[in-house]
Amino acid sequence: TLLEIAKLRKPSLLIPISGSHQVANARVFEEHDAAEVVYRVNPQILKQRIEHLIFDESRKEEIKANIRGFLANDGAKQIVQNAKRILVHWEK
């Protein structure tokens, strides 16, 4: 889902499940300022962050630009290369 969001350059609010791989994935986006991330949610925080993301046009544009800056342009090629490495390792 994150790669699809990034490919489409959609400003997003990520709420990773604590203690899961989602936290590491969200941190990558957060470190590149390519999404809004909330680790602890309550109704007030969620409402505030959603409204901010919806109505702040400059923030949305900033996120879109940051997504462009950290995504590889040859992502499909990298996926194939990684899949081949995994398969070779798995066959051993």
Side-chain angles (χ1 to χ4, degrees), residues 16-77:
I17 295 172
S18 180
S20 75
H21 67 282
Q22 292 179 0
V23 173
N25 293 339
R27 282 199 178 119
V28 171
F29 277 70
E30 184 177 40
E31 288 168 1
H32 290 90
D33 198 26
E36 295 282 327
V37 181
V38 177
Y39 296 98
R40 294 178 190 233
V41 179
N42 67 44
Q44 294 80 20
I45 289 173
L46 191 57
K47 179 181 183 286
Q48 178 187 30
R49 299 293 292 271
I50 289 171
E51 287 176 346
H52 176 72
L53 195 56
I54 288 172
F55 298 115
D56 188 338
E57 292 300 322
S58 64
R59 178 65 179 137
K60 287 192 280 192
E61 291 304 316
E62 180 180 28
I63 289 172
K64 289 178 188 180
N66 293 339
I67 289 171
R68 265 186 230 107
F70 94 93
L71 277 183
N73 289 329
D74 62 345
K77 181 179 176 182

Side-chain angles (χ1 to χ4, degrees), residues 3-20:
L3 291 177
E4 291 170 356
I5 288 169
K7 179 66 177 169
L8 296 172
R9 292 179 175 86
K10 295 291 183 182
S12 302
L13 177 64
L14 307 178
I15 307 170
I17 295 172
S18 180
S20 75

